[in-house]
Amino acid sequence: MCLRRPLRPALIAALLLSAPLSAAAQDLFPLSDEHKRWLEYDAVYIISDREKDAFERLQSEAEREAFIAAFWARRDPEPLTPENEFRIEHYERIDYANTMLGRETSVPGWMTDRGRIYIQLGEPDERETFAAVPALYPAELWFYLARDELLLPPIYVLFFREYYAGPFIQFNHVIHLPEELMPAQSFSTGDARMEAYEFLQEISPQLAHATITMRADRGVAASLLQPDMEILQTQTLLQDINRAPYRRLDTGWVTGAEAGRGLVESEYLFNFVPSVGVARVLPGPAPDSWFVHYAIEIEPQHFTLAQEEGGNEYFTRFEVTGEVSTPDGDVVHDFVVTPFLRLTESQLQDVGARPFTYRGMFPLIPGDFRFRVIFKNDARTEYTVFEDEFSVPTGASTLSRPWLLHTLPVPVEPADSRAWITGGNQLLPNGRAVVAVGIPVRAVASAVGREAVTFRVTPWSAADESGTAGTPLREEEVAVENGLAVWSADTESWESGRYVLSVHDAETERMVTFDLNPRRRVAIPWGLSDSFDGGTAGTLSAALGEQSLRAGNHDAARRHLETALTQNPNLGRVRLALGRFALDDGNPREAVRLLEPALAQAPEDAMVLRVLGDAHLETGNHARAAELYERSLPLQAPDPALLNALSWSLAAGGDAARAIPYLEQSLRLNPEQPEVQELLATLRAGISPGPR
């Protein structure tokens, strides 16, 4: 788990990272002078090709500012400290290169070969200077010990001033020969390379070694005899040096932002963290009701908490945004919850090395759906995205895909409506679907309407279309209790690898894959669990009614909403929906009956005021309608329809003088309203309007 003090607010922008690599140059958003300097000066020696390409393809100044902030944050070696040590040292290296390594030439130090190596690798462990050796160009030899963090062996980097002028250039074994360091020296034998090496041995064995190979941990005999072999090794080593600043960095973060394109703000967008998720449809407490239970699991190295200033507590706020849509894209359910987490230091020590999981639930109407949840962590503006598809059955029978559990089901109070509780049992889902060898594999499936199902485990094979291969390792029939089939099997004799777990009856089969890990232990996650307010009468029927309404199934919506109102007459939003139905049915008096109690509960609800105004207008109660419309005006942005309804109510009630300004305002918002223009002319002429 990562800990970090709260950061300053990031720049606000949206990321567009999806432009194709082949986009024409004229289609790219031009680089400002500041961002061009950052790309070609500040980061030129430490940015990967992948990052550079992504930066150039961003579509606004703000996007590039957000990218730069994430670029440095990804390289921060100590997230706990307020300073970014990598960034500080990097700019110190640039300053040193400009100050000390370009003095012998007009070329800026950062552009010289010495400046480039210094910025990439830092201060050498040893330096040896050859400034005034007869017959030898001025030279400088840098030695670096092995850098495990950069994946580099011990190396020599040799620089020399060719023709005694200009900046020091790097000796490159691909294009330079040892004898080129000594332009005035003549060699009498046919093997000038060997003779030059022996001559340089008299000056410095390390210098002679560096002219044959950059590798300080290898002898020179093989390279002297086979110089072509050294050319290949040098090319590889030079590439490794250029990649060293980002060699261990996962540069996939730039494309990881694709998951959040258009979904999150830019301060989050470049801080995508991987996660695993699982979602299943389980029976609800009411007959023929179904709930979606979901879990998002994040590994501890990707989970961040902020440390309280001057204290020993750790905290963060989450924002969990979910959306359920039909295959056609119609949203039938959405939600936003903002849970808060606070841990003491001892609590953090107990859970810090284990994955974090967030578990939630919500009721859902029958149908086929796509589900997406965006999980944001404010501590370091990190986010992850989980998406899945599932079906909610229309009848009281289902067989779900199986899923793995960390532990066997734990009995709980039947009234408990938290996530992953069904049939009086709490289920701890294994989102990663990883089981340790020797630990029993535990699985469960929702099997409502069945007496028994069969679990089967088969080795996985990419060659087989179904993913299964060979004879099943285990096959067992399991009885269904309270709508659940629970199964467990010992893995002591199984080999590590991937397996297919299926559950089936005579008609249906569902399957998933899981991995058997040779490790002897898989950490059980900790975290937060959301719940559904099933204790308040009518809330379940109200939720299903709203979902049916969004899905366009008005008959089902009305049934659910009427049930909800019967169960709880104080549900104002239910009264509003039923009031609209009554108006659509041409029954405004029923709408008034439904909505007046709703207004008493929420006198400042703009929508209730407006719909109730429509109901009174339809019944001919113009004074009450005008009052309600005027009360709603300050609570919402005025629109022509509202202004027109208010004007008609006033005019019909004999108050034309007050109606005229509202009609004029309506026409300013939308001049193309001939009926309104006609009404306005009638009122200005002092004529009362006819029936509406």
Side-chain angles (χ1 to χ4, degrees):
M1 178 185 297
C2 300
L3 303 176
R4 189 175 181 86
R5 298 185 185 278
L7 302 178
R8 292 176 296 174
L11 295 166
I12 299 177
L15 174 69
L16 297 175
L17 196 62
S18 60
L21 292 174
S22 59
Q26 60 266 28
D27 294 332
L28 297 178
F29 186 80
L31 287 166
S32 66
D33 291 341
E34 179 184 357
H35 290 147
K36 185 175 182 181
R37 175 178 171 81
W38 182 84
L39 188 64
E40 298 180 355
Y41 172 70
D42 296 47
V44 64
Y45 296 137
I46 63 171
I47 190 169
S48 69
D49 290 341
R50 192 176 189 181
E51 292 169 315
K52 180 176 182 292
D53 177 71
F55 184 77
E56 290 177 328
R57 291 189 288 114
L58 297 178
Q59 296 299 304
S60 73
E61 297 288 322
E63 291 169 6
R64 288 178 174 145
E65 286 294 326
F67 180 100
I68 291 170
F71 176 90
W72 294 119
R74 291 283 173 170
R75 288 160 167 79
D76 189 353
E78 297 291 341
L80 279 175
T81 63
E83 301 85 10
N84 186 326
E85 293 80 5
F86 178 92
R87 188 177 187 274
I88 292 171
E89 181 177 349
H90 175 70
Y91 282 105
E92 288 176 349
R93 291 182 184 184
I94 293 177
D95 183 65
Y96 179 87
N98 288 331
T99 304
M100 305 300 295
L101 302 180
R103 292 181 296 179
E104 75 283 350
T105 177
S106 60
V107 178
W110 72 273
M111 295 182 67
T112 65
D113 285 355
R114 287 192 304 172
R116 172 177 52 81
I117 294 295
Y118 190 89
I119 292 169
Q120 290 174 325
L121 302 183
E123 177 68 25
D125 295 286
E126 293 180 13
R127 296 195 199 202
E128 194 171 359
T129 301
F130 307 91
V133 178
L136 181 70
Y137 281 143
E140 194 167 305
L141 180 63
W142 294 4
F143 169 68
Y144 289 94
L145 290 168
R147 304 286 182 91
D148 292 339
E149 73 280 8
L150 302 181
L151 302 180
L152 288 176
I155 57 173
Y156 288 118
V157 185
L158 176 61
F159 308 95
F160 69 102
R161 292 188 71 193
E162 194 172 24
Y163 309 121
Y164 300 94
F168 281 83
I169 63 174
Q170 184 179 353
F171 186 93
N172 188 331
H173 301 79
V174 178
I175 58 177
H176 295 134
L177 298 172
E179 55 267 33
E180 294 181 40
L181 288 178
M182 300 163 285
Q185 182 70 27
S186 60
F187 300 101
S188 57
T189 69
D191 190 351
R193 188 166 183 267
M194 176 63 79
E195 191 172 347
Y197 169 75
E198 293 173 347
F199 182 87
L200 291 170
Q201 279 271 26
E202 299 297 324
I203 300 173
S204 166
Q206 291 79 17
L207 176 63
H209 185 115
T211 62
I212 303 302
T213 178
M214 293 180 68
R215 294 289 297 260
D217 59 342
R218 293 181 180 174
V220 300
S223 297
L224 280 169
L225 295 174
Q226 296 179 302
D228 290 344
M229 180 181 68
E230 186 58 37
I231 290 174
L232 179 61
Q233 292 177 348
T234 297
Q235 290 174 320
T236 300
L237 195 52
L238 291 176
Q239 290 175 352
D240 289 343
I241 291 173
N242 288 333
R243 289 195 297 260
Y246 54 84
R247 191 76 176 274
R248 287 189 178 274
L249 179 72
D250 179 10
T251 57
W253 66 273
V254 295
T255 50
E258 284 288 340
R261 190 179 73 243
L263 302 178
V264 298
E265 308 87 343
S266 66
E267 63 259 39
Y268 283 93
L269 204 45
F270 286 109
N271 296 326
F272 177 84
V273 296
S275 65
V276 293
V278 59
R280 292 294 185 269
V281 177
L282 302 177
D288 298 332
S289 67
W290 302 93
F291 278 73
V292 175
H293 296 249
Y294 67 94
I296 299 170
E297 195 170 309
I298 301 173
E299 290 295 316
Q301 65 269 27
H302 299 303
F303 182 73
T304 305
L305 292 177
Q307 185 177 9
E308 189 177 52
E309 291 287 349
N312 61 350
E313 291 195 338
Y314 305 86
F315 66 93
T316 190
R317 186 185 75 93
F318 304 110
E319 181 180 294
V320 188
T321 305
E323 182 179 278
V324 180
S325 59
T326 66
D328 294 331
D330 297 324
V331 177
V332 300
H333 178 68
D334 54 29
F335 59 87
V336 178
V337 292
T338 55
F340 192 85
L341 175 66
R342 182 178 291 273
L343 298 177
T344 64
E345 193 160 358
S346 61
Q347 289 172 327
L348 181 65
Q349 291 175 354
D350 289 339
V351 301
R354 293 158 52 193
F356 171 85
T357 183
Y358 179 82
R359 298 185 287 271
M361 64 181 294
F362 53 87
L364 194 59
I365 58 175
D368 297 327
F369 300 104
R370 296 170 180 166
F371 175 51
R372 178 176 64 214
V373 61
I374 304 166
F375 183 84
K376 297 180 183 176
N377 180 353
D378 276 359
R380 203 179 179 186
T381 58
E382 296 168 333
Y383 78 99
T384 192
V385 178
F386 168 59
E387 295 181 294
D388 199 5
E389 296 182 0
F390 45 70
S391 297
V392 178
T394 55
S397 176
T398 184
L399 180 61
S400 74
R401 288 173 292 166
W403 70 95
L404 273 66
L405 302 176
H406 282 292
T407 62
L408 289 173
V410 178
V412 294
E413 291 295 327
D416 203 330
S417 60
R418 287 177 292 131
W420 297 98
I421 291 179
T422 185
N425 292 295
Q426 179 165 3
L427 313 172
L428 185 59
N430 182 343
R432 289 168 291 166
V434 175
V435 179
V437 171
I439 302 298
V441 56
R442 308 175 182 97
V444 64
S446 175
V448 178
R450 290 160 169 80
E451 294 183 357
V453 293
T454 300
F455 283 86
R456 178 192 298 133
V457 175
T458 311
W460 180 86
S461 171
D464 189 87
E465 191 171 311
S466 67
T468 60
T471 304
L473 273 176
R474 185 76 177 267
E475 191 164 14
E476 184 176 353
E477 186 176 81
V478 174
V480 177
E481 297 182 10
N482 297 322
L484 290 179
V486 181
W487 174 79
S488 178
D490 183 69
T491 63
E492 195 70 49
S493 62
W494 297 5
E495 295 182 358
S496 61
R498 175 158 293 187
Y499 293 86
V500 175
L501 170 65
S502 67
V503 59
H504 66 90
D505 59 11
E507 301 174 352
T508 309
E509 182 174 19
R510 301 280 189 262
M511 60 181 62
V512 293
T513 62
F514 71 93
D515 292 318
L516 193 61
N517 196 302
R519 293 182 301 175
R520 304 300 291 183
R521 181 177 178 273
V522 174
I524 296 177
W526 65 283
L528 298 177
S529 181
D530 191 16
S531 61
F532 176 74
D533 184 18
T536 301
T539 54
L540 175 58
S541 295
L544 298 176
E546 182 180 349
Q547 293 171 6
S548 299
L549 193 61
R550 288 186 175 193
N553 189 342
H554 290 183
D555 291 339
R558 188 180 301 223
R559 287 196 305 271
H560 286 302
L561 293 170
E562 289 173 347
T563 299
L565 191 62
T566 300
Q567 295 170 339
N568 187 348
N570 296 320
L571 297 175
R573 307 312 290 176
V574 172
R575 288 183 172 274
L576 177 61
L578 289 174
R580 284 172 164 170
F581 275 127
L583 281 176
D584 291 341
D585 292 342
N587 192 350
R589 295 188 183 282
E590 175 65 11
V592 170
R593 185 190 70 80
L594 287 164
L595 293 173
E596 285 290 0
L599 183 63
Q601 294 174 353
E604 300 298 316
D605 190 313
M607 191 56 63
V608 173
L609 285 164
R610 185 164 178 174
V611 177
L612 183 55
D614 292 342
H616 279 292
L617 181 61
E618 293 293 331
T619 63
N621 189 347
H622 300 123
R624 177 63 169 160
E627 174 203 347
L628 295 169
Y629 288 143
E630 284 194 302
R631 284 171 58 183
S632 73
L633 269 178
L635 303 176
Q636 58 187 312
D639 63 82
L642 174 60
L643 293 167
N644 295 341
L646 172 56
S647 301
W648 178 261
S649 299
L650 290 169
D655 198 346
R658 290 178 59 205
I660 289 174
Y662 289 124
L663 289 173
E664 291 172 340
Q665 184 180 0
S666 174
L667 288 170
R668 285 195 296 271
L669 293 173
N670 180 13
E672 303 299 324
Q673 299 183 84
E675 292 183 359
V676 175
Q677 292 172 347
E678 182 180 347
L679 176 61
L680 180 60
T682 300
L683 295 178
R684 283 173 174 170
I687 303 173
S688 298
R692 188 169 183 236

